[in-house]
Amino acid sequence: MTPAKALTAAAPSPASPSTARAINDRLALRLLQEEGPLTATQLKAMTGLSRPSVADLVERLTGAGLIEVVGQSGEQRRGPNARVYGIVARRAYLAALDVRTDSATAVVTDLLGRPLAQAALPVDAVDEAVDLLEALGREAGADRLHTVVVGAPGLVAEGGDLRSTVGLPTWHRELVAALQRRLPATVAVENETNLAALAEQRVGVARDLDSFVLLWLGAGVGAAVVLDGRLRRGASGGAGEIGFLPVPGTGRLPSATDCGGGFHALVGRDAVARLAAEHGWTGPLEEAVSGAAGEGFVDALAERLALGAAAVAAVLDPGCLVLAGGLGDAGGAALGRGGGRGPAPALAAAAGGGGRPARGPRPGPGCAVSVGGGGAGGGGRQPRGGAPAA
């Protein structure tokens, strides 16, 4: 093949009219989802499309029942008011299941993510749990659920299968299988820490970042890795198993099924509670990590966290570390003020979710640190790959 032919063969072909329409429609729907109701003029400005193209896509999406007129703008000026278009939220209903080691909670939302109904599901009784979820959907006004997303501890393979994991109950996998078998809905499964990272990427402190690592501090410790805008799972779904990271100060090494000798042994909830007790604290642990237990405790915990942060920065160079989970949310600002000693990156944290990451000293490939708030809840978390430390 001649160079000219090679260049010709490599040149991308223009999109067909149907493909271009699909791309434009998806772009408009994404803007309406993220920005809220918009006029045709606003859609034109945000998409860069011509006025006729915007008029065509509005007509298509309205005819398909995906958007509708939700109001008018321009009441304070002369001339006709502009129609304001919004997504038809009742077009589909979604469910989110937060599955923990000993509990499960379901929330049913409309297409815009607005919660409509919520209930705790029974554990160890998967058919009853599915029955209750269906009843919850009917309570929200749904004839059927369009999509069900399950967030659970444990390893999730690339295809979405929840893998059997030592230390986690078997009813997790049984519940997922029952949902897939009984519901005429798309059932997606994801590790809970990965979901928290996706939430921070879309609506939280990492929404303007292409690369970051979310560090979950709760009953256990875990991480989610986002590089170049994509969530990274690793070959077996175990990327982010930072609880198994060998670190000094634990007295032994972790094994393939026990993270007791790893980073988990320093910053898991039980380890943090013991550290607080050594500094004379007997109150709620979240108050301790927020600074109530004194600077000595905060400094000691920050130095422990810096061991993991240093490893993350040296290997991945993510640029930002988001603290999440019950202890991460509570202690972010205090840990930022107390960290930064020794060779590890400083834990400089923004006080609360929704802001830009605070920039601290960055020795080597360092990390700025920010406190999550977009989707990282405060519940406990077990390590994904093995049993929690005793």
Side-chain angles (χ1 to χ4, degrees):
M1 180 180 292
T2 65
K5 289 183 178 179
L7 289 174
T8 302
S13 59
S16 66
S18 60
T19 300
R21 287 193 294 269
I23 293 173
N24 293 341
D25 291 354
R26 181 168 296 183
L27 174 60
L29 288 172
R30 186 186 307 118
L31 286 170
L32 289 169
Q33 182 183 34
E34 295 176 352
E35 304 293 334
L38 299 169
T39 65
T41 299
Q42 290 171 321
L43 281 171
K44 175 181 179 296
M46 292 180 177
T47 61
L49 297 172
S50 66
R51 189 175 299 276
S53 294
V54 171
D56 288 344
L57 75 82
V58 166
E59 183 178 357
R60 284 195 303 273
L61 296 176
T62 302
L66 294 174
I67 67 173
E68 62 185 351
V69 177
V70 296
Q72 295 183 337
S73 69
E75 289 86 350
Q76 305 303 320
R77 62 174 175 80
R78 293 182 178 181
N81 296 331
R83 293 178 177 179
V84 178
Y85 297 93
I87 290 177
V88 180
R90 61 187 178 278
R91 175 63 186 265
Y93 295 86
L94 320 172
L97 273 63
D98 181 12
V99 176
R100 304 299 175 98
T101 54
D102 57 358
S103 66
T105 304
V107 179
V108 176
T109 77
D110 60 21
L111 198 54
L112 291 176
R114 294 180 296 211
L116 303 175
Q118 178 175 336
L121 302 181
V123 299
D124 289 327
V126 295
D127 285 323
E128 292 181 22
V130 177
D131 290 340
L132 182 55
L133 180 60
E134 290 180 314
L136 206 62
R138 292 191 293 270
E139 178 185 335
D143 294 330
R144 60 181 291 271
L145 294 171
H146 180 277
T147 302
V148 177
V149 177
V150 181
L155 299 179
V156 178
E158 187 68 34
D161 294 328
L162 185 61
R163 299 176 57 188
S164 179
T165 304
V166 175
L168 295 177
T170 58
W171 66 264
H172 284 188
R173 300 182 70 199
E174 294 169 354
L175 175 61
V176 171
L179 291 169
Q180 294 171 334
R181 182 178 67 253
R182 292 184 47 185
L183 297 182
T186 299
V187 178
V189 184
E190 184 54 271
N191 173 266
E192 57 184 357
T193 304
N194 287 345
L195 285 176
L198 293 176
E200 295 295 348
Q201 183 185 36
R202 294 176 184 176
V203 297
V205 296
R207 60 186 176 276
D208 296 326
L209 302 177
D210 288 331
S211 298
F212 67 96
V213 169
L214 182 138
L215 180 61
W216 182 282
L217 303 174
V221 57
V225 180
V226 176
L227 297 177
D228 300 323
R230 291 181 55 196
L231 178 69
R232 306 293 177 168
R233 303 176 183 277
S236 64
E241 288 298 333
I242 197 171
F244 288 84
L245 177 72
V247 290
T250 65
R252 61 189 179 96
L253 293 175
S255 69
T257 58
D258 181 11
C259 56
F263 189 49
H264 171 85
L266 293 183
V267 297
R269 188 179 186 90
D270 289 345
V272 175
R274 288 192 295 270
L275 182 64
E278 292 173 5
H279 286 79
W281 180 260
T282 59
L285 198 54
E286 284 73 15
E287 294 182 13
V289 298
S290 68
E295 291 185 2
F297 164 74
V298 173
D299 284 350
L301 179 57
E303 289 178 0
R304 290 185 176 191
L305 288 171
L307 293 174
V312 167
V315 175
L316 300 178
D317 188 22
C320 179
L321 186 72
V322 177
L323 297 181
L327 299 183
D329 289 342
L335 291 170
R337 291 191 297 269
R341 300 183 178 183
L347 294 174
R356 293 290 303 181
R359 300 294 172 183
R362 300 183 64 178
C367 288
V369 180
S370 186
V371 184
R381 180 192 184 281
Q382 299 293 351
R384 288 185 285 184

